[in-house]
Amino acid sequence: MTAARLVRAAARAALPVLAAVHVAPVVSTFGPLRNRVMPRLSGRGRTGHVALTFDDGPDPVSTPLFLRLLADRGVHATFFLLGNQAHRSPGLVRDIDAAGHEIGVHGWLHRPLLLRGPRATYDDFARARDTVGAITGRQPQLFRPPYGIMSAAAHLAARRLDLTPVLWTCWGEDWTAHATPDSVHRTVTADLDGGGTVLLHDSDCTSAPGAWRSALGALPLLLDTCEQRGYEVGRLAEHGRPGAGPRGQFT
């Protein structure tokens, strides 16, 4: 066998191994397992605090309504922005920042990371990070993958770019056409506890048209429930670590 054939044979033999390594982090997509054995990735924080997070914005139609409601309630949240959406609405990104909310990135495009190689993954993250950083004057430090699905390439790219991946402990399934404020509130609170991270969406750019209305309608109900249970609601920046002090930073 020639050297060239040996190289090709070795490459073919290595492909299954490389593919397995690439997709191995997908196990973190399974919420109950992730919440139990990967508390940091799940966004598990200090007891008594709930981190409120939004994905897929900014959207000039819907996001201002969320900002107004949060301002009325005196609550700050973390917004994971899509880079292409931020590029279209830089003024809205500045409004989110000026209101005291925390900004992370959700990638440039909302596409599954398992379909991307290392270079494409890195370029997507870097473009989103740099775009948001240029608008706000500060580089984002948090990252949430589209669909909550990580890959080995995503972990490596996030580390190179100083981005910390954060998923969630409970969500509202507010992206569907049949979601309602009551269904979103019920779904979130079924799994909500102190130290949890809530995922909602302030945009329907990757969801059923108008789906954001269910999240907006559920938000006052959710904030009321947190207040009744004695939970402080805020950004991931104040979420801390399990057992940390009252202002323990989430890292």
Side-chain angles (χ1 to χ4, degrees):
M1 182 179 291
T2 65
R5 288 182 178 178
L6 282 171
V7 170
R8 287 195 294 269
R12 285 194 297 269
L15 282 176
V17 176
L18 294 174
V21 170
H22 180 66
V23 304
V26 78
V27 68
S28 64
T29 305
F30 183 57
L33 175 64
R34 180 180 74 241
N35 293 344
R36 187 165 59 250
V37 303
M38 306 174 191
R40 186 174 177 182
L41 181 61
S42 297
R44 177 62 62 182
R46 56 186 171 88
T47 302
H49 188 271
V50 168
L52 178 62
T53 70
F54 296 93
D55 285 6
D56 291 359
D59 188 302
V61 173
S62 52
T63 301
L65 301 178
F66 285 85
L67 295 179
R68 190 177 309 152
L69 193 158
L70 292 169
D72 289 344
R73 296 293 295 255
V75 172
H76 293 115
T78 300
F79 287 78
F80 287 94
L81 307 183
L82 287 168
N84 63 338
Q85 292 285 100
H87 179 70
R88 294 189 187 106
S89 302
L92 188 49
V93 176
R94 286 188 283 268
D95 288 344
I96 296 172
D97 183 56
H101 301 292
E102 184 177 31
I103 295 179
V105 292
H106 199 34
W108 179 262
L109 296 173
H110 200 281
R111 292 178 181 171
L113 296 178
L114 291 181
L115 303 180
R116 295 178 179 168
R119 186 67 201 181
T121 299
Y122 178 88
D123 289 346
D124 180 271
F125 290 11
R127 189 178 184 188
R129 185 201 64 170
D130 293 346
T131 296
V132 171
I135 294 170
T136 65
R138 292 189 305 278
Q139 294 283 20
Q141 297 181 327
L142 301 178
F143 166 73
R144 177 171 286 162
Y147 307 104
I149 299 175
M150 291 292 287
S151 65
H155 279 290
L156 291 172
R159 177 171 294 186
R160 288 177 61 194
L161 293 165
D162 293 324
L163 293 170
T164 299
V166 185
L167 300 184
W168 58 86
T169 64
C170 52
W171 60 10
E173 297 184 3
D174 54 340
W175 58 87
T176 64
H178 61 267
T180 66
D182 285 339
S183 74
V184 172
H185 175 253
R186 185 170 58 251
T187 303
V188 170
T189 55
D191 296 318
L192 180 66
D193 61 0
T197 291
V198 176
L199 163 62
L200 296 173
H201 295 80
D202 63 306
S203 167
D204 62 5
C205 69
T206 65
S207 307
W212 58 266
R213 298 180 188 278
S214 64
L216 184 67
L219 189 51
L221 304 174
L222 174 60
L223 295 176
D224 289 344
T225 296
C226 288
E227 183 177 352
Q228 292 162 8
R229 295 185 183 182
Y231 301 148
E232 176 191 358
V233 179
R235 312 176 304 171
L236 281 163
E238 290 89 34
H239 201 37
R241 302 174 301 278
R247 305 298 290 179
Q249 185 179 4
F250 182 86
T251 54

